Amino acid sequence: MRVGILTGGGDCPGLNAVIRAVVRKGVQEYGYDFTGFRDGWRGPLDGHTVPLGIPAVRGILPRGGTILGSSRTNPLNQENGIRRIKDNLTALGVDALVTIGGEDTLGVATRLTDEYGIPCVGVPKTIDNDLSATDYTFGFDTAVGIATEAIDRLHTTAESHMRVLVVEVMGRHAGWIALHSGLAGGANVILIPEQPFDVDRVCDWVTSRFRASYAPIVVVAEGAVPRDGDMVLKDASLDSFGHVRLSGVGEWLAKQIEKRTGKEARTTVLGHVQRGGTPSAFDRWLATRFGLHAIDCVRDGDFGTMVALSGTDIVRVPIADATARLKTVDPALYEEAGVFFG
Amino acid sequence: MRVGILTGGGDCPGLNAVIRAVVRKGVQEYGYDFTGFRDGWRGPLDGHTVPLGIPAVRGILPRGGTILGSSRTNPLNQENGIRRIKDNLTALGVDALVTIGGEDTLGVATRLTDEYGIPCVGVPKTIDNDLSATDYTFGFDTAVGIATEAIDRLHTTAESHMRVLVVEVMGRHAGWIALHSGLAGGANVILIPEQPFDVDRVCDWVTSRFRASYAPIVVVAEGAVPRDGDMVLKDASLDSFGHVRLSGVGEWLAKQIEKRTGKEARTTVLGHVQRGGTPSAFDRWLATRFGLHAIDCVRDGDFGTMVALSGTDIVRVPIADATARLKTVDPALYEEAGVFFG
Amino acid sequence: MRVGILTGGGDCPGLNAVIRAVVRKGVQEYGYDFTGFRDGWRGPLDGHTVPLGIPAVRGILPRGGTILGSSRTNPLNQENGIRRIKDNLTALGVDALVTIGGEDTLGVATRLTDEYGIPCVGVPKTIDNDLSATDYTFGFDTAVGIATEAIDRLHTTAESHMRVLVVEVMGRHAGWIALHSGLAGGANVILIPEQPFDVDRVCDWVTSRFRASYAPIVVVAEGAVPRDGDMVLKDASLDSFGHVRLSGVGEWLAKQIEKRTGKEARTTVLGHVQRGGTPSAFDRWLATRFGLHAIDCVRDGDFGTMVALSGTDIVRVPIADATARLKTVDPALYEEAGVFFG
Amino acid sequence: MRVGILTGGGDCPGLNAVIRAVVRKGVQEYGYDFTGFRDGWRGPLDGHTVPLGIPAVRGILPRGGTILGSSRTNPLNQENGIRRIKDNLTALGVDALVTIGGEDTLGVATRLTDEYGIPCVGVPKTIDNDLSATDYTFGFDTAVGIATEAIDRLHTTAESHMRVLVVEVMGRHAGWIALHSGLAGGANVILIPEQPFDVDRVCDWVTSRFRASYAPIVVVAEGAVPRDGDMVLKDASLDSFGHVRLSGVGEWLAKQIEKRTGKEARTTVLGHVQRGGTPSAFDRWLATRFGLHAIDCVRDGDFGTMVALSGTDIVRVPIADATARLKTVDPALYEEAGVFFG
């Protein structure tokens, strides 16, 4: 049995931990061989591989990123994409694929399995935690930890100058990072893509915080948008989902706050530091367990399946369940956090 | 409505986050007053209180420990304990108690509610994660993170000198910290209280790791014990549970490994650093949500109840369910980790 | 003897450590009283004070920011500024001032001492490390540590996607943070304000790094500017020093790199997180020692003096020496780092 | 020109940064070849080498430990040690050695250069910072940072239970780590090997701290000893320097404090975590600059010389100056810290 592995989409702390676990268990317990594919789906498309055995995975557990490289290449959009993958897998003697990625990568995996008979197992990965059918994806806890530490630091700057600090965190379509890091960091306002915000209400919270002689921290997901239609027309655009997007929402919001409250406001855009570097202990544990269970799916011939976290258990779900719809923040959960606003 | 709060047992990162959330929501949403009791059950026993309102809980979210102090005092063992508590609550006008603690503190809370009509709500707390009826307790993630970072550091020392490094982590009766930090830290051997270990097998793993030209890290829970009866007779004792205990198991094991393998071995006992300091983002989030739901239990008159984590939801369970039996590591889970041994 | 303390300019990790040390030693060893002035020079201007004794400084050592608040108010620009300060100090019975700040704050202190007979002692503070007459200022080591950790994280993202990552760090007029964090983080290009850069040369380094199958990290100080005159005319402006400034140099450079090398480039602007939060151990040690020696200057009547680090010793220098000229990066030091470029 | 490199003595964060800088500059600027020797002096004794070029040093900057391995082997104690080294160097064509180590490793290097004509350059390394002729050694800042973070965590545990927490840190003969981490961590007592301590005075400080309603942290260097002769006779021994040593001084002291003050006391021995893992930014910077200057010494034929830090400059000193006597804590410096005791 020869198993291929690939990692697709944006990089994410924990990818290497999955690869290591898949290979360690596959080699030691089941005697499998492994082929690493470079740069997501581009690897099987172009037959671009790297050797993958136990020596290759030693020491990679704590390392961020992915030793296999990544890309956003979608074979379904490539000329003869499916055919090229099939030919390459046959030529390389690869019997099954472990595909580690988000919505796009897994969307391809489920179609390859169901429609083209290429046996794939999925491992869910996204910093944003917006994949359905799993309690958490690895990388998310690391991102939340980094954002929370940044918010901790910004509190002291805000207090020293009695300024508003706006922190823009990742999250285009779902506000999980904003919600968790905002709660953990003691933010005074949290804004998420799921709930268009009212700038005046944000300003009320800001003002109320200053009245208590403290300086406010506003955490805003990059995909959050204001409710006011007129503003949007001037400053925003539509993204590929047809959603209104406001590029640089943090900067935009800081200016609005300054204008309306007369208080100084500064913006910090955390950006790529949220997705790089060593994974948190939680993410290493989750990624490792995902890897161990993914190779069991291969052994059981359980393809089209994705490993998922349910409570403290790793379970198997149809990949299609995970990609069917985005997992967004429940309004009740957001409302629960509102007690800390202002 | 006046609500008392107390924190009992060993300190744990996240206690202050619970207190803050209970008070913020209680005051802002329900208009409650609060009384802080000092040093666990000693507070209501002696009528020792501190004022507790929104100003008192500002800024405490990221701080470890507990602003209320803690103790292991058990009112059921005190002369007229119940009577003194009742009198003090009456005198102070306290209508209900939010009790934050582990097995012992919550065991008292359930009896006070059920047998003596003192309305208590429980919030589960233990570094060790060994309380039933909840997926996790706060403090555990922080402890695992600290232990994992220490293991990361010890790897480089082990490699540089090609030595065995034994790391003793917390966990008297349950191996959760050892299992999670061992997996996350890439340990080569993990030993837990639930599974008496065979020193010869440990030495086999150690030797096998050296054969691969790497140096081994052995993570051992403080409550782990060797399987061999003769050794135990000489070196160990019985604890209050009637379990065999080996004080200083890390040091003991390092000596055994040196004797049997001829390799140098060193021990690090992480100790109290695992339970102090700022909570991880996960623990702040969990503790905050526990606090928000605990005060809802008070509002609903739902006493004898404990808040618990189930997947990503906060649920309510009878306190008695949590304290009925220790949550130990499932043998299957331990076996799963075994692929990384050696 | 009653001593006033104020903190001016941008906040900086270690300010509280200085305040604590001044007060602890002043009260315990010399029996002094203390008056805290709010918000830099605005405090003595407006007579805005806070009580400052040993209880007020307990627990502040590890906290970022300043318990006294800060501002950029310059009393020399205020109507009757000097008179108001003198009157307030007299009214409050304040005999001497410990002034903690950067070039501006200390510039005022030296003039108050020399020209107006208001006895001031200076403590140098700047994230940017660009004050002369001291080896280091506190806050700098913390900022370098935060920037280095961010660069560590960005390496894995760069490698996974084989992208250029441009990191913009603090440093308007001096490249110390860029140089130290770039060296410590293993950057492939470091650009500082002292040395206008050649975009083509930057692109050569970037390309050379990719040829070695690695992805480049470019660290650029916010005040760095390109050498090419034409570009500057379009994109830049003059700052108050008459220096050419390019707002958003990181973003600008990433676009240039993309255009000229055809490689994807992304920018991260670290911003305020570099100056907030708990100080590093080095900064706590330096700030504490500065405080202990500053109060000794007061005791010795050694005014117009600033404490400074020289090797491992705390020494005294005229404040005017520190503010006479900016301490910039020596060309030889920058050249030394060049071995790692590309 | 072929240059050999070895690392001797205990591992230390920053060793890899030195190796990388030596090789990068040596290859790129001077066109040298390099030979890595395994395990300190054992490498040249046994002719045990590893290839060392630019690919071998990529990515090692942030990694703790040493890719060359280390040992405490002293060739002067080995049969025909000098002869074997000379023969191996000749056979391998090695023209000069860069030796990175502490007192022992450098002591050998100076004798090999001066007495046996083997051209060596020294790079000072010790966690303990007790080498003369340099302001700091790399590894020290990392160790102080780790100890300070641990002390931060222990404060919250101490406060929650109103217990004494004794922290034993590294430092057999010099108290630098204890002094710096104690000052940075806000310890209430700091005990160093240079100053035998009076247990009753320690207990006075402990009691005084409790009177202020705070819990004390006692930082004790592993080599600190009590002043009382009688205790020493029972509990201590003589080390190879003829100094009195008390194995487990932290544990011993905690027991004494409990006995004499009636307060609970707990001990944490930080141990090996202080010397492993990724170096701090300061140590990476210092180690890198040491490496760059060490290879310049080779180029200049400046042997028997050690690179050293003087203020912010890297200078050259005779190796013999560094090893002539231990750099211990100046009594005035220790006394300066005393204002924070109690």
Side-chain angles (χ1 to χ4, degrees), chain A residues 9-11 64-66 69-70 142 146 149-150 153-154 156-157 160-161 163 165 266 268-270 272-273 275-278, chain C residues 9-11 64-66 69-70 142 146 149-150 153-154 156-157 160-161 163 165 266 268-270 272-273 275-278:
Chain A
D11 71 306
T66 160
S70 188
T142 304
I146 293 168
E149 197 190 312
R153 292 199 172 275
L154 295 171
T156 64
T157 288
S160 299
H161 296 280
R163 267 181 201 156
L165 272 164
R266 294 282 185 282
T268 295
V269 182
L270 290 185
H272 285 83
V273 292
R275 72 180 325 131
T278 195
Chain C
D11 71 305
T66 161
S70 187
T142 304
I146 293 169
E149 196 189 313
R153 291 199 174 275
L154 294 171
T156 63
T157 288
S160 298
H161 295 280
R163 268 181 200 156
L165 271 163
R266 293 283 185 282
T268 294
V269 182
L270 291 185
H272 285 82
V273 291
R275 71 181 325 133
T278 195

Side-chain angles (χ1 to χ4, degrees), chain B residues 11 66 153 156-157 160-161 276-277, chain D residues 11 65-66 153 156-157 160-161 276-277:
Chain B
D11 71 306
T66 162
R153 292 199 172 275
T156 64
T157 288
S160 297
H161 296 280
Chain D
D11 71 307
T66 162
R153 292 200 172 274
T156 63
T157 289
S160 298
H161 295 280

